[in-house]
Amino acid sequence: MTRKEFQDLAARGPVILDGATGSELRAAGMPVGVSPERWILEHPQVLRNIQRAYIDAGSMVIYVPTFSANRLSLRNFGLEGEVRELNAALTALSKETAGGRVLVAGDLSTLGRPLEPVGEMPYGEAYGVYREQMEALASAGADLLTVETLMGMDEAVAALDAAADLGLPVLCSFSAEADGSLLFGGNVREAAAMVQELGAAAVGVNCSVGPDQLESVIRAIRAAVDIPVIAKPNAGLPVMDERGQARYSMGPEEFARHMRNLVNAGAGIAGGCCGAAPAYIRQLAAELIAP
């Protein structure tokens, strides 16, 4: 898929993304403290069930569970030498599950460290980490790339530079506060304008807060760019239950109602992050897609 083909798709109406694969994996029995990538490949039917549920709910794009499948994160489990193998296997599993019915996005994320001069990570290292994972995802047949939960502008630059000659559309989404500020400095409106200039196919926000807190942020992004705008927030605010697990404050209907407001504010690509189970995406699709 090309950048233009993806943008043409978004121009025809809201594009529905998937929801919180990580939350669903935990609910399906994935323990804390393991490599999600390795665990999924040891329990492939769990991922198939989750992704099929999102597809059946109305997702037009599913994310390969490669959020942390880069050499820095995999080093925590002694798997930093298996970047290509893990990304390829997880992409193949997601493509098999999609069966050509929906797009498959190779998923990347923040590296969790600010780049120089604000932090200690050199630009070249960030570029190399992103490039290694992106090459693996592209070679495995991902339809597009999404770089999500970005915390600063510099890592977005590194990611987009790394993807520049791979020929796939790249969606960039930042983790922004309700006032639009980014954890590593700057604000999401400036970041959105910058990534558009660098060739992103779409830009927006994910995670951090619920959809009820993002209307002004989405309006600001919409005013700053011409490319499609992404809204993939959490299902409200987390509340810890008696077992120490996060439960989110919004039910599917309330979530979808607030997401409608974000679409009215300018979002053309909509999904859910933490807490957004398939029921949330089903309600979202019903709210946004005319029967």
Side-chain angles (χ1 to χ4, degrees), residues 4-50:
K4 184 178 185 305
E5 286 170 340
F6 180 81
Q7 291 177 331
D8 287 345
L9 172 65
R12 293 196 289 271
V15 174
I16 308 298
L17 304 175
D18 63 9
T21 299
S23 301
E24 292 301 288
L25 288 167
R26 287 289 309 282
M30 184 180 75
V32 176
V34 302
S35 160
E37 298 79 18
R38 176 68 71 202
W39 190 88
I40 290 166
L41 292 174
E42 292 170 353
H43 304 82
Q45 192 58 44
V46 172
L47 182 69
R48 291 189 189 102
N49 293 343
I50 292 168

Side-chain angles (χ1 to χ4, degrees), residues 40-79:
I40 290 166
L41 292 174
E42 292 170 353
H43 304 82
Q45 192 58 44
V46 172
L47 182 69
R48 291 189 189 102
N49 293 343
I50 292 168
Q51 291 186 325
R52 284 172 183 160
Y54 281 122
I55 294 169
D56 292 344
S59 294
M60 302 172 185
V61 181
I62 57 170
Y63 285 21
V64 184
T66 48
F67 181 89
S68 57
N70 62 71
R71 82 171 83 120
L72 296 181
S73 295
L74 291 173
R75 190 175 295 156
N76 296 323
F77 305 100
L79 299 172

Side-chain angles (χ1 to χ4, degrees), residues 22-241:
S23 301
E24 292 301 288
L25 288 167
R26 287 289 309 282
M30 184 180 75
V32 176
V34 302
S35 160
E37 298 79 18
R38 176 68 71 202
W39 190 88
I40 290 166
L41 292 174
E42 292 170 353
H43 304 82
Q45 192 58 44
V46 172
L47 182 69
R48 291 189 189 102
N49 293 343
I50 292 168
Q51 291 186 325
R52 284 172 183 160
Y54 281 122
I55 294 169
D56 292 344
S59 294
M60 302 172 185
V61 181
I62 57 170
Y63 285 21
V64 184
T66 48
F67 181 89
S68 57
N70 62 71
R71 82 171 83 120
L72 296 181
S73 295
L74 291 173
R75 190 175 295 156
N76 296 323
F77 305 100
L79 299 172
E80 64 271 26
E82 299 183 32
V83 172
R84 180 170 292 275
E85 293 79 3
L86 291 170
N87 280 274
L90 291 165
T91 302
L93 180 56
S94 293
K95 285 176 66 69
E96 172 202 328
T97 305
R101 294 178 291 164
V102 300
L103 297 173
V104 173
D107 190 26
L108 305 96
S109 183
T110 179
L111 302 180
R113 307 178 193 174
L115 274 59
E116 295 176 340
V118 176
E120 297 182 355
M121 177 176 280
Y123 167 86
E125 182 180 359
Y127 174 95
V129 171
Y130 280 127
R131 180 70 184 194
E132 180 181 32
Q133 188 179 5
M134 287 175 169
E135 285 181 342
L137 292 165
S139 296
D143 297 305
L144 64 151
L145 300 172
T146 180
V147 190
E148 61 173 337
T149 324
L150 290 164
M151 297 182 184
M153 291 187 276
D154 289 345
E155 59 183 356
V157 173
L160 286 165
D161 284 351
D165 63 352
L166 294 177
L168 293 177
V170 182
L171 282 56
C172 285
S173 64
F174 294 85
S175 181
E177 298 299 332
D179 63 358
S181 62
L182 302 176
L183 183 62
F184 292 165
N187 65 74
V188 73
R189 178 174 178 147
E190 294 171 346
M194 180 195 67
V195 300
Q196 174 177 260
E197 292 301 313
L198 292 173
V203 63
V205 289
N206 77 285
C207 203
S208 189
V209 296
D212 55 324
Q213 299 184 54
L214 288 174
E215 188 170 341
S216 63
V217 172
I218 294 297
R219 290 190 187 280
I221 297 172
R222 178 72 282 160
V225 301
D226 299 318
I227 57 178
V229 175
I230 305 161
K232 202 175 194 284
N234 294 342
L237 297 175
V239 177
M240 304 307 292
D241 66 16

